[in-house]
Amino acid sequence: MNKSIHILFIGAGRMAEAIFSGILQKEKNFAITVANQKDAERLTYLKEQYQIEVTSDWSKSVETSDIILLACPPSAHEKVLATLNPLIKPNQLVITVAAGIGPSYLEKALPAKTSVAWLMPNTAADVGRSMSIYALGNYMTGEQTELFTKIVGAIGPAEQVTEQQVHDLTAITGSAPAFLYYFVEALEAAALSYGITKEQARKLVLEMVIGSAAMLDKHRDPAKLREQVTSPGGATAAGIATLDEQHFFSLLESAVTATNNRAKEQGKA
């Protein structure tokens, strides 16, 4: 695969930037064009920062693109896909990174047998550590699947699942980082209540989380790691018992369900 592959990004937000930044760092034969209709300043920044092509009219770049990656909000997809429909050509691949917009949605909105894929990364794509999930449409070729794998691999590990499972697991891989950050905020607030400075509280909590994540990365067994810290009848055990009394597991399950339900509503809207 020596020819240059042209990817058109429709949308110029942080997720788009994280994805094409990873591609540019890891792949040598990809040409990038990024489109944004409303923010010329943002396009200027991206062009200067990454030496890529930019445009305020993405429709003019569709013809020369091998891959069209939709990095726009779910609510924008209906209009974007309606504009894209008469422009799309055979052998082009359309990818979306929007919540609630699966391959079946894309295939209905585009010409028959268009190759499509649904990629759900998370914000850790910004540091090349996104745990992405994805589902493929019915008409992707072997070459397109290989290209898609390169794109996904540029931002971190990934797992192929069914379309329904992407709907169900988006809250786990895509939204749960926000739950973790919220947990960190709460621990910072607790630390501040004991008279230390905000800078000290942040250092204590962030370094604890980073170290704990490193332990998870090494040992891959959260239950075992928790047990190693939690002596029977000890101080940590008392804290875990309080979390259990407040239905910690059920609370997270409810948050996951609420996230999934909202994502599905966005896709239908």
Side-chain angles (χ1 to χ4, degrees), residues 4 9 14 23 30 52-54 57 60 79 92 94-95 109 117-118 141 153 158-159 185-186 192 195 204 232 256 262:
S4 180
F9 283 75
R14 293 195 63 177
I23 293 171
F30 283 78
I52 58 174
E53 296 299 317
V54 299
D57 185 358
K60 296 180 180 179
K79 182 177 179 180
Q92 288 180 312
V94 178
I95 303 170
W118 186 17
T141 66
E159 189 73 20
E185 289 180 68
L192 282 170
L204 290 176
V256 167
R262 180 57 180 152

Side-chain angles (χ1 to χ4, degrees), residues 29 41 85 103 172 190 253:
N29 62 328
E41 185 177 344
N85 183 298
I172 303 296
E253 289 173 1

Side-chain angles (χ1 to χ4, degrees), residues 18-248:
I19 295 172
F20 69 69
S21 173
I23 293 171
L24 292 172
Q25 291 178 51
K26 295 188 177 182
E27 302 293 338
K28 303 301 181 184
N29 62 328
F30 283 78
I32 306 293
T33 298
V34 177
N36 185 303
Q37 293 181 322
K38 298 180 180 180
D39 194 341
E41 185 177 344
R42 171 72 172 164
L43 289 182
T44 299
Y45 163 78
L46 294 175
K47 182 178 178 65
E48 293 176 351
Q49 181 73 15
Y50 297 99
Q51 304 303 306
I52 58 174
E53 296 299 317
V54 299
T55 180
S56 60
D57 185 358
W58 58 263
S59 63
K60 296 180 180 179
S61 300
V62 171
E63 184 176 359
T64 59
S65 300
D66 300 290
I67 299 169
I68 298 98
L69 195 149
L70 308 180
C72 46
S75 59
H77 272 58
E78 183 176 4
K79 182 177 179 180
V80 168
L81 290 168
T83 303
L84 183 60
N85 183 298
L87 303 175
I88 203 76
K89 300 187 303 180
N91 301 320
Q92 288 180 312
L93 170 61
V94 178
I95 303 170
T96 183
V97 296
I101 309 292
S104 59
Y105 182 104
L106 296 177
E107 287 175 349
K108 289 178 182 178
L110 294 169
K113 297 187 177 181
T114 298
S115 299
V116 302
W118 186 17
L119 171 63
M120 285 304 300
N122 63 39
T123 54
D126 192 49
V127 291
R129 294 295 301 270
S130 170
M131 178 59 240
S132 305
I133 52 177
Y134 65 90
L136 306 180
N138 295 308
Y139 306 107
M140 286 181 65
T141 66
E143 181 179 5
Q144 288 171 332
T145 301
E146 183 180 347
L147 289 172
F148 180 81
T149 301
K150 288 180 179 291
I151 292 170
V152 177
I155 58 173
E159 189 73 20
Q160 182 178 359
V161 295
T162 67
E163 179 172 351
Q164 184 56 50
Q165 286 170 331
V166 176
H167 282 294
D168 295 336
L169 294 170
T170 294
I172 303 296
T173 59
S175 299
F179 303 165
L180 175 60
Y181 304 146
Y182 202 36
F183 174 72
V184 169
E185 289 180 68
L187 283 180
E188 280 189 15
L192 282 170
S193 71
Y194 294 103
I196 61 176
T197 67
K198 184 175 181 179
E199 291 72 20
Q200 288 175 312
R202 178 149 297 179
K203 179 179 180 181
L204 290 176
V205 176
L206 290 187
E207 293 301 331
M208 178 278 297
V209 171
I210 291 168
S212 300
M215 289 289 285
L216 282 168
D217 192 29
K218 179 179 180 179
H219 297 288
R220 299 279 166 166
D221 191 337
K224 185 176 181 180
L225 290 171
R226 174 181 53 76
E227 290 167 0
Q228 290 173 355
V229 182
T230 311
S231 302
T236 304
I240 293 291
T242 298
L243 291 176
D244 286 341
E245 289 169 5
Q246 298 297 320
H247 307 292
F248 184 63

